[in-house]
């Protein structure tokens, strides 16, 4: 008979030592916990070990002689009382929430559900007694040594340029990356890929979810897949498909190479819900381990979940052990894999209490005071589907936020909408009206025009309507309010005038993004006019629709983005660490001044004019060796005369323009310049 030692309740998960392995699992409401050992392939259950030690809700044991490579899972017994929030079912094999490596994947079968599926509205109340082990992924014991050799680059927030991408989508069609490694972390560390990011001026690569996630049954049945990965199965194990031949080490190798190039790595993390869905979902891990602890249940009717996310359930961050799990996960990714920051999906859910969102929630306090996590880049997606779900600007100092208002206003401005000058100027200046409370900084606003969720930049100027037919939902999915403009023709065209206008609109949007205060986030592929054929919800398109087409390069646009990043890097007036106020700086100049196209300071009447779509912005230098910049914007459909701003000496030179044949032009103070319709020009003062 195998010897079983009591072991320890801390740390949770598995811990390998010189004599064996400690196993620890939290389940406050369980009646019993059994550890199941499997062969190396995870196909045959070879032993069951009933745990007899439970300390503070943590069940634990130490197995001498068991080490790295051991495959295992859990079975948990307890009350089957769905009406009271308990869904224990010993027949279901459960994945360890702290598993760091997975063996096998989900093989969809009705046995994966804790209840008997019969189609009735009360079917979730009847326990299913079939064994789910043959259809479940298992955990493999791995060690916890750091896998990165480099230090965090620690790029100063104001100098950050974020590039959002998908591990597979970034390299699956990359001609310079060997086919054998495309779509993996290994590919992200290839010099050919890293060099492209460096040339583009990127300082941070933000990756869509890399935590192990579920391939949803309804998608598999339709021949599709969960491409984006916003349906987490486990918070410690990486998605197996993203690992190269070197396994877990491939993550550290890629991060090292990106760090060596001065590029940080930010992970998009989904701690707000899990893949187990609502009360009709499968029992794979958390639900069977302790449903009432891990999830927010509906007050007064705990049979159902308090679905604040729109994904069937919400993780219960009010519970200290659940919060501990999230913190342990974040620290592991930061310490073992060298991750430099996190973007929290549906972050409003993470800070909810029974009476609503609370910026003082223990979740935020725990992260901000943590010696490992508190100094990393922390970004919140500030909404969910709960009451008062849009919480833009409400997160505590230390968190930056995806600024959806910036996206909407800038899109509308360049579409030619009226009455937008005040809101456009405010968003352009880092949205101080939203973020300046609590001594927050301009980098609290993460600005973006496009992101994974929605149109690409090319599609934004090519389609008025979504075209999601490939998703198999009769084009009902995805946003209808895209604030896009097809420039006169829906979809692809050979019309040279339409094509020229679309190119100018892309440049207008990109230039606005990089010239704005706050942090620019570029959607991967936008710099090369990548298209999804009008699909604005490519969550299930793990194919040519969702992957970046690197062969269809737009070299002029790519070069334009690189020049924008270089201009932003060399001129600190474009990335100030303080909000613009109009006050004079130490050089005696106002940090920002706003003018009409006539060269006069904007009056209240100018700001209130709903028909005006023109603006001139002058930004003063931060340092004496830098020059003033003037940005002229004409979002109207006609050419407009602009008057060059006065200077004590010298004049203005066009250093960047979105229209043809404008760069290099010079203006004397007070000189009139005809700005072509829908054009932006950046002027730099010269002697």
């Amino acid at each position: 008979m195998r010897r079983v030692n009591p072991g320890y309740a801390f740390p949770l998960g598995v811990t390998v030592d010189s004599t064996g392995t400690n196993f620890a699992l939290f389940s406050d409401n369980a009646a019993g916990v059994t550890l199941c050992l499997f062969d190396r392939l995870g196909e045959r259950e070879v032993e069951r070990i009933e745990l007899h030690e439970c300390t503070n809700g943590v069940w634990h044991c130490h197995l001498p002689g068991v080490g790295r490579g051991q495959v295992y899972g859990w079975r948990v017994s307890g009350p089957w009382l769905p009406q009271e929030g308990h869904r224990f079912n010993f027949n279901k094999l459960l994945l360890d929430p702290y598993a760091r490596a997975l063996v096998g994947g989900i093989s969809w079968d009705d046995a994966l559900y804790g209840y008997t599926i019969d189609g009735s509205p009360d079917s979730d109340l009847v326990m299913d007694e079939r064994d789910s082990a043959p259809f479940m992924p298992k955990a493999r014991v791995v060690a916890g040594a750091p896998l990165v050799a480099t230090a965090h680059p620690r790029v100063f927030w104001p100098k950050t340029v974020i590039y959002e991408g998908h591990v597979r989508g970034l390299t699956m069609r990359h001609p310079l990356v060997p086919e054998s490694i495309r779509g993996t972390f290994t590919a992200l560390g290839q010099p050919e890929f890293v060099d492209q990011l460096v040339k583009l001026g990127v300082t941070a690569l933000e990756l869509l979810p890399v935590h192990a996630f579920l391939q949803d049954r309804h998608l598999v049945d339709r021949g599709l897949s969960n491409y984006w990965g916003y349906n987490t199965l486990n918070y410690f194990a990486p998605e197996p498909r993203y690992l190269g031949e070197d396994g877990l080490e491939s993550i550290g190798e890629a991060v090292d190479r990106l760090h060596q190039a001065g590029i940080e790595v930010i992970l998009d993390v989904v701690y707000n819900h899990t893949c187990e869905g609502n009360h009709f979902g499968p029992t794979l891990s958390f639900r069977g381990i302790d449903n009432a602890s891990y999830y927010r249940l509906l007050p007064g009717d705990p049979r159902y979940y308090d679905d604040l996310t729109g994904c069937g359930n919400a993780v219960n961050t009010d519970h200290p052990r659940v919060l501990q799990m999230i913190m342990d996960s974040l620290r592991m990714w930061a310490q073992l894999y060298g991750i430099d920051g996190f973007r929290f999906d549906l972050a409003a859910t993470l800070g909810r209490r029974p009476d609503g969102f609370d910026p003082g929630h223990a979740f935020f306090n725990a992260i901000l005071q943590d010696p490992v996590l508190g100094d990393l880049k922390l970004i919140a997606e500030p909404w969910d589907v709960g009451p008062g779900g849009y919480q833009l600007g409400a997160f505590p100092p230390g968190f930056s936020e995806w600024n959806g208002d910036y996206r909407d206003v800038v899109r509308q401005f360049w579409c030619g909408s009226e009455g937008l000058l005040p809101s456009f100027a405010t968003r352009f200046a880092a949205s101080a009206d939203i973020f300046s409370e609590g001594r927050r900084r301009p980098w609290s606003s993460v600005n973006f025009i496009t992101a994974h969720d929605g149109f690409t930049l090319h599609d934004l100027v090519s389609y008025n309507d979504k075209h999601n037919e490939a998703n198999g939902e009769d084009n009902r999915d995805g946003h209808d309010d895209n604030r896009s403009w097809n420039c006169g023709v829906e979809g692809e065209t050979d019309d040279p005038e339409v094509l020229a206008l679309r190119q100018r609109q892309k440049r207008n949007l990109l230039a606005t993004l990089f010239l704005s205060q706050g942090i620019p986030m570029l959607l991967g592929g936008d710099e090369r006019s990548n298209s999804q054929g009008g699909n604005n919800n490519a969550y299930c398109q793990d194919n040519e629709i969702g992957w970046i087409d690197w062969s269809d390069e737009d070299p002029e646009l790519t070069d334009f983005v690189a020049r924008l990043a270089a201009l932003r890097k060399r001129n600190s007036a474009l990335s100030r660490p303080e909000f613009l106020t109009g006050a004079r700086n130490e050089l005696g100049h106002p940090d920002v001044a706003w003018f009409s196209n006539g060269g006069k300071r904007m009056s209240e009447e100018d700001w209130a004019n709903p028909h005006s779509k023109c603006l001139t912005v002058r930004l003063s230098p931060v340092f004496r060796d830098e020059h003033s910049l003037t940005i002229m914007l004409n979002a109207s459909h006609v050419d407009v005369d602009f008057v060059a701003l006065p200077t004590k000496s010298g004049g203005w030179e066009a250093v960047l323009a979105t229209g043809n044949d404008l760069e290099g032009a010079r203006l004397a103070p007070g000189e009139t310049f005809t700005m072509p319709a829908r054009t932006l020009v950046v002027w730099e003062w010269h002697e």
Side-chain angles (χ1 to χ4, degrees), residues 60-95:
H60 52 92
C61 73
H62 182 276
L63 299 185
V66 171
R68 301 176 187 176
Q70 176 65 58
V71 179
Y72 72 100
W74 295 102
R75 295 182 189 272
V76 180
S77 60
W80 173 263
L81 294 171
Q83 297 97 325
E84 298 179 17
H86 300 304
R87 295 179 178 269
F88 294 101
N89 188 333
F90 190 79
N91 303 292
K92 308 305 172 182
L93 187 76
L94 306 171
L95 186 65

Side-chain angles (χ1 to χ4, degrees), residues 398-419:
F399 278 81
S400 298
E401 303 176 36
W402 268 27
N403 191 343
D405 280 11
Y406 176 93
R407 171 200 60 203
D408 295 344
V409 169
V410 172
R411 285 187 180 190
Q412 288 178 278
F413 178 78
W414 285 111
C415 281
S417 297
E418 296 186 338

